[in-house]
Amino acid sequence: MQYNDIKTPQELYLFMKKNIKYGFISKIDNKAYKRDELNDDEFYDYMIHHGYYLQTPEELLKSGYGLCLDQVELERDWFERHGYKVYTYHSNYHNHTFLIYNEEDAYYLFDRSFYIFNGIHKANSLEECLDLYIGLQKNNLKEPTKEIVLTPYEKIEFGQGFTEIIKHFKEELKDKIVFKL
C-alpha cells in the first residue's frame, strides 16, 4: 500500500508500522541513526543535538526513519488531508510528541513512535484522552518525576534542529497542562 492510498487511521497506523523506523537522518552525514543500533549513547545524543532536523512528510516517507516529531507531522499531514481535527502535544517527560484526533464523538491517541504507547487508544473527550496518555506515562516511569507537562503546539517549521524545537516547547508558556504525580 502507498501513503496516498491510505483510507483509514488504522491503515495509516499499519503503514507506519511497516514503513517507518524510529530514528533520524543526520544533516551532517545523511546517515540514519537509531539509538538501539548504537552502543554509544553519548555519540547518539551528540548526533541528535547537532545532526537532527525535522523532515517534511515527503522526506520521512523517502528515508523511512523519523523521531516522534517527524512521525507526528506525517500523521498531521494525513489526518488533515482527510478532514480530521487534530491536536498535537509535547511531553517534557522523554521529550515525546503525540497526536490526538477527533472522529465523530470520540477522541483517539494515535502513537507509532514510542513503543509503550503504540496503538490507537479511544477516549470520550480530549481531556480523557490526555488523562489516558498520562496514565500510560505513569505506568512506565523509568526516572522519578513529580510532574509531567504537556504543551499543545501547532505545526513546527520543517528543517529545524532538535535543540531549537525543544527550546520552542520550553518557551511556549501559554496553555501548558501540568499533571502532578
Side-chain angles (χ1 to χ4, degrees):
M1 175 178 290
Q2 298 296 314
Y3 177 71
N4 291 328
D5 297 331
I6 297 169
K7 303 280 187 248
T8 67
Q10 293 76 16
E11 287 179 0
L12 175 62
Y13 178 85
L14 293 172
F15 173 86
M16 292 178 72
K17 184 176 181 178
K18 181 179 179 184
N19 295 291
I20 307 294
K21 297 174 198 73
Y22 188 81
F24 67 95
I25 301 297
S26 171
K27 64 184 175 189
I28 295 171
D29 58 10
N30 225 21
K31 292 182 182 176
Y33 288 89
K34 290 178 64 178
R35 183 182 298 274
D36 62 354
E37 290 180 356
L38 292 175
N39 291 325
D40 188 342
D41 282 347
E42 283 185 36
F43 179 66
Y44 181 86
D45 288 342
Y46 174 85
M47 289 304 289
I48 203 167
H49 285 281
H50 295 89
Y52 172 80
Y53 69 95
L54 180 63
Q55 299 175 85
T56 65
E58 296 78 20
E59 289 171 320
L60 176 59
L61 290 168
K62 183 178 178 182
S63 75
Y65 287 91
L67 298 182
C68 56
L69 294 158
D70 306 286
Q71 293 189 39
V72 164
E73 291 310 314
L74 176 69
E75 294 160 9
R76 180 195 311 275
D77 177 71
W78 186 88
F79 280 104
E80 288 182 347
R81 284 182 191 215
H82 290 83
Y84 291 85
K85 172 76 175 150
V86 299
Y87 307 85
T88 50
Y89 295 88
H90 170 262
S91 171
N92 68 323
Y93 191 73
H94 292 296
N95 278 321
H96 185 57
T97 57
F98 62 95
L99 179 139
I100 295 172
Y101 69 93
N102 175 241
E103 183 175 39
E104 297 176 7
D105 291 334
Y107 291 79
Y108 298 85
L109 169 60
F110 185 101
D111 201 313
R112 254 303 305 142
S113 62
F114 201 6
Y115 68 95
I116 60 175
F117 306 128
N118 275 202
I120 303 173
H121 310 275
K122 183 179 180 180
N124 294 318
S125 67
L126 181 59
E127 293 75 19
E128 189 178 305
C129 211
L130 294 174
D131 287 340
L132 173 67
Y133 174 82
I134 294 300
L136 290 168
Q137 283 278 30
K138 280 178 164 178
N139 291 335
N140 292 283
L141 290 175
K142 293 188 178 176
E143 303 160 5
T145 187
K146 294 183 180 194
E147 66 182 23
I148 296 175
V149 179
L150 300 181
T151 305
Y153 71 95
E154 299 297 322
K155 292 180 184 176
I156 303 170
E157 184 179 328
F158 295 115
Q160 285 192 55
F162 187 79
T163 304
E164 292 83 14
I165 293 169
I166 299 307
K167 181 180 175 195
H168 170 75
F169 290 141
K170 287 180 179 178
E171 291 174 351
E172 285 291 314
L173 297 177
K174 63 180 190 328
D175 301 329
K176 286 191 179 198
I177 305 164
V178 178
F179 292 86
K180 299 288 184 190
L181 304 180

